[in-house]
Amino acid sequence: MSKLIRFSVSIEEDLIEAFDALCRQRGWSNRSEAIRDAIRRQLVEQEWKVGEEVAGVITLLYDHHKTGLAKRLTEIQHDALAEVISATHVHIDHANCLEFIAVKGEATTIERLAHRLIGLKGVKHGELTGTSTGKKIR
Amino acid sequence: MSKLIRFSVSIEEDLIEAFDALCRQRGWSNRSEAIRDAIRRQLVEQEWKVGEEVAGVITLLYDHHKTGLAKRLTEIQHDALAEVISATHVHIDHANCLEFIAVKGEATTIERLAHRLIGLKGVKHGELTGTSTGKKIR
Amino acid sequence: MSKLIRFSVSIEEDLIEAFDALCRQRGWSNRSEAIRDAIRRQLVEQEWKVGEEVAGVITLLYDHHKTGLAKRLTEIQHDALAEVISATHVHIDHANCLEFIAVKGEATTIERLAHRLIGLKGVKHGELTGTSTGKKIR
Amino acid sequence: MSKLIRFSVSIEEDLIEAFDALCRQRGWSNRSEAIRDAIRRQLVEQEWKVGEEVAGVITLLYDHHKTGLAKRLTEIQHDALAEVISATHVHIDHANCLEFIAVKGEATTIERLAHRLIGLKGVKHGELTGTSTGKKIR
């Protein structure tokens, strides 16, 4: 566990008042937490830029009626065993499925995997969302 | 099932050659699929803008040692039963957890829910990733 | 001029050390300025969301050889006199031009104007970059 | 000038109808132009990723009353003569200025320059908008 320290920030009074109002509106617990969030967000972006070990989720929307698609999705995930942690399948309606694939690994490897899955015929929409393994981000 | 139609696009030869090279590099199956993807991506963005029923995933990275956090996460999700479809928990290491919460509902309701969760003390990083229920997007 | 106040943030020591390293690397003057930046960035996003008076720049890349394009660009800008502040034209090479159009006004009006310009035949690439008039952001 | 070719795309009828409606709504001239736009947008993103020669605009919002800021902005731009093409200054009100700096060069050099400028004390908001020199993008 890392030691907690305190530091102070000087800021224009009406700027911080506007920010406090935004925090209340968005439901953030408080100003300090919002600032820690902003700091961590930048560190996560940096992890993706330098290509270190990152974590993320690949979100796929598809129609499970498309012939061969489910099989292709499974094959590609098994080819990427080192990166894929888990997959969650959600039934939206008779035709539409959402699949959330939790991934971990080197940033460009993850990006290539996401592109392969999102680019499959029958996948209607896909996104790669980057987060962190949290190892360096307290 | 919607009827398939064909339409033609006129384009500069070297522009489409550069795009074909990019498709190969990213692992997209082919040019047509890449174009359908681009079209669907814009329709998904539009669904989020007009605030219709959308789907998405809220990704949370947190340290499960934080007192009371797991309880708060569960409470907020139960308060939002109408929106939350499922939650997947992934153990990254001794301290770090990733949670992927599949959600569905009106865009601003989803955004407010995401802000509440991401803004909790102990959540290190969070993202709301927007996708679609696929009902209007073939 | 708004009064300066000080507030303090408690944070894990290694988190703030990682952030200080990132600040140095990116050339930010210091930690406080980086935090004020993060705060202002969120306030600017919020101004665009609520649709208040915002400012921005529409960046257009185009080939000035395209018949009628320069005329269309000028006409649309003159139709939007209330929003367009200035336009700067940069010659990239024999064919390619960059145009930066400074705009100010209500968010959705600006977005519609940007779409009209970016969607013109002959415009190769365009972006709308949102910033603020600074009136509410100190 | 590159030769124009035609290619055809097969697509679900209701998908292209939804897209045509979106094109009309956003003011894009037509479906083909919207598709060419989507293709070029991806090629521009790729240029920034591989770090080739790119073009862009750095947008800065600042209060010109801040002592020493205008001087610092000018100095940094002169240090980056190889990248800076032009700067346009817009007076928003008594205190607020917008400055649009057109830049050209290697992607990471441009990013570093943008960070230096945006990180200056007194700059309230800044963005780097990426576009292309258009040399490879017809």
Side-chain angles (χ1 to χ4, degrees):
Chain A
M1 204 70 195
S2 175
K3 207 176 73 182
L4 272 181
I5 62 158
R6 295 184 77 78
F7 69 93
S8 72
V9 182
S10 66
I11 195 163
E12 288 81 0
E13 191 170 28
D14 49 9
L15 187 59
I16 196 68
E17 280 169 3
F19 188 60
D20 285 345
L22 184 63
C23 289
R24 278 191 301 275
Q25 188 185 328
R26 295 214 180 145
W28 282 325
S29 49
N30 62 54
R31 182 202 286 176
S32 277
E33 182 56 24
I35 286 167
R36 284 190 296 266
D37 268 10
I39 286 175
R40 290 189 206 104
R41 189 167 297 276
Q42 313 238 27
L43 294 173
V44 171
E45 274 173 30
Q46 185 64 8
E47 285 189 354
W48 278 84
K49 274 202 179 162
V50 299
E52 295 178 25
E53 194 196 41
V54 293
V57 57
I58 302 168
T59 302
L60 302 173
L61 169 71
Y62 63 92
D63 181 336
H64 68 87
H65 294 123
K66 285 274 171 181
T67 319
L69 178 58
K71 194 165 163 285
R72 263 325 266 135
L73 287 172
T74 307
E75 282 169 359
I76 294 176
Q77 291 182 52
H78 280 264
D79 283 354
L81 266 188
E83 281 80 30
V84 174
I85 308 174
S86 74
T88 308
H89 188 101
V90 168
H91 310 288
I92 294 281
D93 60 22
H94 184 66
N96 290 292
C97 308
L98 276 178
E99 194 150 321
F100 305 105
I101 304 165
V103 287
K104 190 171 72 169
E106 194 263 329
T108 55
T109 310
I110 299 291
E111 283 165 355
R112 209 170 309 122
L113 172 62
H115 278 136
R116 278 185 75 193
L117 292 164
I118 295 168
L120 285 175
K121 205 167 167 165
V123 172
K124 295 179 175 189
H125 184 245
E127 288 286 352
L128 167 61
T129 307
T131 181
S132 165
T133 62
K135 277 170 197 164
K136 296 194 180 163
I137 294 175
R138 301 303 176 113
Chain B
M1 203 69 196
S2 175
K3 206 177 72 182
L4 270 181
I5 63 157
R6 296 185 76 79
F7 70 93
S8 73
V9 182
S10 67
I11 195 163
E12 289 82 0
E13 191 171 27
D14 48 9
L15 188 59
I16 197 66
E17 280 169 3
F19 188 61
D20 286 345
L22 184 63
C23 289
R24 279 190 301 275
Q25 189 185 326
R26 293 213 181 148
W28 282 326
S29 48
N30 62 55
R31 182 203 285 176
S32 278
E33 182 54 26
I35 286 168
R36 284 190 297 267
D37 267 10
I39 286 175
R40 290 190 207 104
R41 188 166 298 275
Q42 313 237 26
L43 294 172
V44 171
E45 274 173 29
Q46 185 65 8
E47 286 189 355
W48 277 84
K49 274 200 178 164
V50 300
E52 296 178 24
E53 195 197 43
V54 293
V57 57
I58 302 168
T59 302
L60 302 173
L61 169 71
Y62 63 93
D63 181 337
H64 68 87
H65 293 123
K66 286 273 171 181
T67 318
L69 179 58
K71 194 165 163 284
R72 265 322 268 136
L73 287 173
T74 306
E75 282 168 359
I76 294 176
Q77 291 182 53
H78 280 265
D79 284 353
L81 266 188
E83 282 79 31
V84 174
I85 309 174
S86 74
T88 308
H89 188 101
V90 168
H91 310 287
I92 294 281
D93 59 23
H94 184 66
N96 290 291
C97 308
L98 275 177
E99 194 149 322
F100 305 105
I101 303 165
V103 287
K104 190 171 72 169
E106 194 263 330
T108 55
T109 310
I110 298 290
E111 282 165 356
R112 208 169 313 121
L113 172 62
H115 278 136
R116 276 186 77 195
L117 292 164
I118 295 169
L120 285 175
K121 205 167 165 165
V123 171
K124 296 180 176 188
H125 183 245
E127 289 286 350
L128 167 60
T129 308
T131 182
S132 166
T133 62
K135 277 168 197 164
K136 296 193 179 162
I137 294 176
R138 301 303 177 112
Chain C
M1 201 73 193
S2 176
K3 206 177 74 182
L4 272 181
I5 63 159
R6 296 184 77 77
F7 68 94
S8 73
V9 181
S10 67
I11 196 163
E12 289 80 0
E13 191 171 26
D14 48 10
L15 187 59
I16 196 66
E17 279 169 4
F19 188 61
D20 285 344
L22 183 63
C23 289
R24 279 190 300 276
Q25 189 184 327
R26 294 213 181 147
W28 282 326
S29 47
N30 62 53
R31 182 203 287 176
S32 277
E33 182 55 24
I35 285 168
R36 283 190 297 265
D37 267 9
I39 287 175
R40 290 190 207 106
R41 189 167 297 275
Q42 312 237 27
L43 295 173
V44 171
E45 274 173 30
Q46 185 65 8
E47 285 189 352
W48 277 84
K49 274 201 179 162
V50 299
E52 294 177 28
E53 195 197 41
V54 294
V57 58
I58 301 168
T59 302
L60 302 172
L61 170 70
Y62 63 92
D63 181 336
H64 67 88
H65 293 123
K66 286 274 172 182
T67 319
L69 178 58
K71 193 163 164 287
R72 264 325 267 134
L73 287 173
T74 306
E75 282 169 0
I76 294 175
Q77 291 182 52
H78 280 264
D79 284 353
L81 265 187
E83 282 79 31
V84 173
I85 309 173
S86 74
T88 308
H89 188 101
V90 168
H91 310 287
I92 295 281
D93 59 23
H94 185 66
N96 291 292
C97 308
L98 276 177
E99 194 150 321
F100 305 104
I101 303 166
V103 288
K104 189 170 73 169
E106 195 262 332
T108 55
T109 311
I110 297 291
E111 283 165 355
R112 208 171 311 122
L113 172 62
H115 279 135
R116 278 185 76 194
L117 291 164
I118 295 169
L120 286 175
K121 205 167 165 163
V123 171
K124 296 180 176 188
H125 183 246
E127 289 286 351
L128 167 61
T129 307
T131 182
S132 166
T133 63
K135 279 171 197 164
K136 296 194 179 163
I137 293 174
R138 300 304 176 114
Chain D
M1 202 71 194
S2 176
K3 205 175 76 182
L4 271 181
I5 63 159
R6 295 184 78 78
F7 69 94
S8 73
V9 182
S10 67
I11 195 164
E12 289 81 0
E13 193 171 26
D14 49 10
L15 187 59
I16 196 67
E17 280 169 3
F19 188 60
D20 285 344
L22 183 63
C23 289
R24 278 191 301 275
Q25 189 185 327
R26 294 212 181 149
W28 283 325
S29 49
N30 62 54
R31 181 203 287 176
S32 277
E33 183 54 25
I35 286 168
R36 283 191 296 266
D37 268 9
I39 286 176
R40 290 189 205 104
R41 188 167 297 277
Q42 313 238 26
L43 294 172
V44 171
E45 274 173 29
Q46 185 66 9
E47 285 189 353
W48 277 84
K49 273 201 179 164
V50 299
E52 295 178 28
E53 194 197 40
V54 293
V57 57
I58 302 168
T59 302
L60 302 173
L61 169 71
Y62 63 92
D63 181 336
H64 68 88
H65 293 124
K66 285 275 172 183
T67 319
L69 179 58
K71 193 165 163 283
R72 263 326 267 134
L73 287 172
T74 308
E75 281 168 0
I76 294 176
Q77 291 182 53
H78 280 265
D79 283 354
L81 266 188
E83 282 80 30
V84 174
I85 308 174
S86 73
T88 308
H89 189 101
V90 168
H91 310 286
I92 295 280
D93 60 21
H94 185 66
N96 289 292
C97 308
L98 277 177
E99 193 150 323
F100 305 105
I101 304 166
V103 287
K104 190 171 70 169
E106 195 263 330
T108 54
T109 310
I110 297 291
E111 283 165 354
R112 208 170 311 122
L113 172 62
H115 278 136
R116 278 186 76 194
L117 291 164
I118 295 169
L120 284 175
K121 204 166 167 166
V123 172
K124 295 179 175 190
H125 184 246
E127 289 286 350
L128 167 61
T129 307
T131 181
S132 165
T133 63
K135 278 171 196 163
K136 295 193 180 163
I137 294 174
R138 301 304 177 112

